[in-house]
Every structure is written in structure tokens, then in C-alpha cells.
Amino acid sequence: MASVSASHLILFIASMMVAASVAGVFTSSIGQLSGALSEQGLDVSSDVRTDVEIISDSGSDAIYADGTITLDVADDIAVLRLDRPDVMNAMNSQMRAEVTHAVAAGGAEARVVVITGNGRAFCSGQDLGTEGNAADLDLERILRDEYVPMLRAIRDCPVPVIAAVNGAAAGAGANLALAADVVIATESAYFMQAFSRIGLIPDAGGTWALPRQMGLAKAMGAALFAEKISARQADDWGMIWEAVEDDAFEERWRARAAHLAAGPT
């Protein structure tokens, strides 16, 4: 909702570019991370798309060609759902472009934007594809041309953005959530900074957000050990606004969104 300062934005982008500078480590170790996420029940293998086609963009809904997200605007609340449940809502080029567009559209049409996921995960991070495809990824370009615009759209959104974390939020998926103004998580959700398992530092703004939201000591441990942080831990540490019992989760985030939508301007 509030724009970051120029110095913070430079620091934010720099952290992403440092991660990109070790892209060789990423490609040679991709199987390690894929295996680690698979152990957590996260299947993130899929083809990466680079084209964007919006079939319809009128009224309260935007219909996206490949269905990587859905956007519904009603009662001044824009609900953006990451919609690739078969790969735990892993982000490919198509999804990042659509999220960037949808956040801007929601910010223009509604008084609050909610980002959540379909299925049992919020977002498992970067779509790693097959090992062969991963070796061809230009990680620096992806960070610069796809992640930065998406995260800037969230940070610069003129209305509050809520991340309603409905399940696992791993890697860049965790940091996508932390880019929001308010993070509400269901108690069964968790956050994981998986980057150190392949020799990377947290990207997608993680090195900027984590120390500010949970303190340097916890942020360093999260980055180095790549352990799960439960929603309750995240709440206790000040990393998120609140953890909510699973059966009350959707009702709670909808109530929070309605409160903001009805507030003064």
C-alpha cells in the first residue's frame, strides 16, 4: 500500500540480483531443492510459459487464458487466487505476469486486495520445471523482469493488500506473502525459506522483509537452516499479523478485508 523509499527499493533489488548472480549453483543443484520440496509434499514440476493472454477484462472479473489465477471483485474486495493447485501454485512466467496485472486491476477497482491460493498450498515458489528446463532458466532475467514488477505492484498498490496464506508458502512463495501489507495464515500453514539448500540467499525481497518483520536473529536462522516456520511461530515472532484456526480462516480474512473495504479514505 505504501511505497518503499528509494534506498529500500535499491536494497530490495540488490538482494534479488545477488541471488541471480549464482544462477549456476541454481541450475546444478535444482534436483536438490525439487527433492526437498517433494519431501514436504510440494510437487513443483511444470512447463514454464512466457506469454500472457487475457481473454476478458471487463466488469468485476478478469478471465485469464491459461487459468493460472482467478480475480473476482465484489463489495469493494478484489480476491486474487493463485490457481495451479496441481503444482502447489508454483509461479511460472504466466502466473507472475497475471498477478502483476491483477493486483493493478484490483487496486484500481476495489478498496482492498486479497491474495490467496487454491488447493492445499498458498504458493510453493518458483516453478522449477523439469531438471532439463531448469538448466536453461535465465534466473537474473526472471528476477529482474518478472519478480520485481510483480512485487512492486503489490508494494505500490494504492489500497491495502492482504495475503491470506491458506497452506504451504515456500521460497519465493513465502516472500510473495510477506510483500503484502497484512499477512493472515491458517494454523496448518507454514513458511519456508528453502534457498540455502541450493546455495542461494532468499530472493523475491526476502532479505529486505525478513529482518524487518521477525528480527535479524530469526531471519538469519530462517535463511540458513531452511526449516519450516509454522503459522503460529510466525505469529508469535511478529512475522505475520495473525494465525487463525483452520475452520475459521476464510471467515476471518473475509471479515478483515470487509473491515478495510468499509473504512475511511
Side-chain angles (χ1 to χ4, degrees):
M1 178 173 67
S3 298
V4 298
S5 68
S7 60
H8 284 162
L9 183 58
I10 291 170
L11 187 63
F12 161 75
I13 295 173
S15 73
M16 300 179 75
M17 300 310 287
V18 169
S21 71
V22 289
V25 177
F26 175 87
T27 56
S28 64
S29 306
I30 201 73
Q32 298 176 28
L33 181 57
S34 184
L37 294 178
S38 294
E39 291 175 3
Q40 306 295 337
L42 304 181
D43 179 8
V44 293
S45 296
S46 175
D47 293 332
V48 175
R49 289 289 304 275
T50 57
D51 58 312
V52 178
E53 181 184 358
I54 299 169
I55 297 174
S56 173
D57 188 15
S58 60
S60 62
D61 301 327
I63 302 172
Y64 295 89
D66 288 345
T68 69
I69 70 168
T70 64
L71 176 65
D72 177 69
V73 181
D75 300 323
D76 287 325
I77 300 170
V79 180
L80 187 168
R81 291 186 184 271
L82 309 178
D83 193 25
R84 303 182 73 213
D86 55 325
V87 290
M88 310 295 283
N89 297 323
M91 288 185 284
N92 59 10
S93 294
Q94 181 81 11
M95 178 181 279
R96 286 187 290 273
E98 292 181 357
V99 169
T100 303
H101 176 275
V103 169
E109 296 182 28
R111 291 171 56 85
V112 61
V113 174
V114 179
I115 302 174
T116 190
N118 276 338
R120 61 193 181 96
F122 174 75
C123 179
S124 57
Q126 168 67 33
D127 187 337
L128 303 178
T130 65
E131 189 166 349
N133 288 338
D136 297 328
L137 288 177
D138 183 346
L139 190 59
E140 180 177 351
R141 184 202 63 76
I142 290 172
L143 289 169
R144 182 189 63 239
D145 297 343
E146 299 179 13
Y147 277 98
V148 169
M150 178 181 68
L151 295 167
R152 276 179 169 168
I154 295 170
R155 297 301 299 177
D156 293 343
C157 187
V159 301
V161 178
I162 296 174
V165 179
N166 57 297
N175 296 331
L176 171 66
L178 297 181
D181 297 302
V182 175
V183 183
I184 301 171
T186 190
E187 278 197 333
S188 60
Y190 65 85
F191 301 83
M192 184 169 66
Q193 299 291 324
F195 304 94
S196 66
R197 299 188 182 194
I198 55 170
L200 298 180
I201 64 171
D203 63 24
T207 56
W208 187 90
L210 289 168
R212 289 164 174 78
Q213 292 173 251
M214 60 194 294
L216 182 59
K218 295 294 187 186
M220 187 65 75
L224 292 177
F225 297 123
E227 294 178 353
K228 285 184 181 180
I229 301 170
S230 71
R232 182 56 60 192
Q233 283 178 305
D235 186 354
D236 291 343
W237 293 350
M239 180 179 170
I240 66 173
W241 169 244
E242 62 183 342
V244 182
E245 292 182 358
D246 291 358
D247 58 1
F249 171 65
E250 182 158 350
E251 181 181 0
R252 178 68 64 85
W253 69 252
R254 287 191 178 278
R256 294 293 194 188
H259 173 82
L260 293 176
T265 56

